[in-house]
Amino acid sequence: MPYSPTLWVAASLLWVLDAANNVTMEPYRAYVGDRLPDDQRAAGFLTQSAFTGLAQTLSYLAPSLLVWIGFNKDAIDGNGIPDITRIAFLIGAVLSLATIVWSVVRVPELPLPEEEKMRLAKEPLTLGGTLRDLKTALVEMPKPMRQLALAMLCQWYAMFAYWQFITFAVARSLHGTSDAKSEAFRDTVLTVGQLGAFYNAVAFVAAIALVPVARRWGQRTRMPRACSRRAWRCWQSPACAPSPRCSSRCSASASAGRA
């Protein structure tokens, strides 16, 4: 993007970059679910979140670190883009491509079951099939995800509003300017980067701190509501026999609680 000749080219590349980042993030999350046993998934997701926070911390700090090692923060090109921004983008591009290639080469894809292969062979990749799969995913979406949908919608709206306007807001508050070509505005860009690094560092530390919590209390099995009272009595007294009406899941929950 720093090499774009016009604004519309830069905006288009930003759209492609954002879409590509989201596309690549989903397989990374799937790695955790596919590769780890059930009792390690909570810690695996937290570890992934921790390193994501650490990487974002370093990316936010990259321009400030470049200034710290001797680069001139006021050196800009003909389009007004600072050299430290250009270098930070190049470093990020190399690291992003390198880690994706490393993951593709080092982590082979798990083979599909024969039933899944047959199903995919009967349903060729078409626009109609994609829409049907989307409909199925929406219909079969777990209830917790439906409950989080509105919260995530509001959260992402707020985050994008923050990312787009925080630099101008801080520049006007601290320096009384909104001129993107001024030295004060470039100082504000570094300040905003340091603020972003701070809250991502907090996320990194919090994720690491939650790993022992997830190992101790994570992956609890919820029993059916109708069976919970009888399962609790079974947990209280080993001599209590489960009711024939109680499902196997209820009995398993009682046994897990007794253990």
Side-chain angles (χ1 to χ4, degrees), residues 1-204:
M1 286 188 298
Y3 296 96
S4 301
T6 58
L7 179 60
W8 72 267
V9 174
S12 300
L13 290 177
L14 177 61
W15 176 80
V16 173
L17 176 64
D18 187 60
N21 284 336
N22 282 280
V23 168
T24 54
M25 281 302 296
E26 298 309 318
Y28 280 130
R29 295 189 181 96
Y31 279 162
V32 177
D34 291 344
R35 296 288 175 174
L36 294 181
D38 291 344
D39 59 339
Q40 295 182 9
R41 285 180 182 172
F45 281 118
L46 284 172
T47 303
Q48 183 186 46
S49 298
F51 280 98
T52 300
L54 178 60
Q56 290 179 325
T57 299
L58 295 176
S59 66
Y60 270 109
L61 283 178
S64 296
L65 292 175
L66 291 173
V67 173
W68 181 68
I69 63 176
F71 284 85
N72 183 6
K73 67 178 177 62
D74 295 318
I76 60 176
D77 62 10
N79 294 322
I81 300 175
D83 290 346
I84 55 176
T85 301
R86 188 189 305 274
I87 296 171
F89 263 88
L90 291 175
I91 294 174
V94 171
L95 291 177
S96 179
L97 183 60
T99 53
I100 292 172
V101 172
W102 175 269
S103 300
V104 171
V105 173
R106 298 290 296 179
V107 185
E109 185 176 359
L110 293 175
L112 293 175
E114 291 300 325
E115 296 80 4
E116 186 67 13
K117 292 181 180 179
M118 294 176 61
R119 186 187 71 82
L120 292 176
K122 293 179 181 179
E123 299 180 5
L125 184 60
T126 61
L127 178 59
T130 302
L131 294 177
R132 285 192 297 271
D133 288 343
L134 179 60
K135 179 182 177 181
T136 302
L138 293 174
V139 171
E140 298 179 357
M141 182 184 298
K143 184 179 179 180
M145 293 184 66
R146 295 181 183 276
Q147 294 172 331
L148 287 173
L150 180 60
M152 292 300 296
L153 174 64
C154 297
Q155 176 186 357
W156 278 106
Y157 174 84
M159 290 175 67
F160 273 95
Y162 167 84
W163 289 330
Q164 290 179 11
F165 300 112
I166 182 61
T167 303
F168 287 94
V170 174
R172 296 186 65 177
S173 298
L174 295 182
H175 304 289
T177 182
S178 58
D179 183 8
K181 297 181 180 179
S182 64
E183 180 180 353
F185 193 89
R186 290 192 291 272
D187 290 336
T188 303
V189 172
L190 296 178
T191 302
V192 170
Q194 294 160 9
L195 292 173
F198 175 76
Y199 73 72
N200 279 285
V202 172
F204 165 71

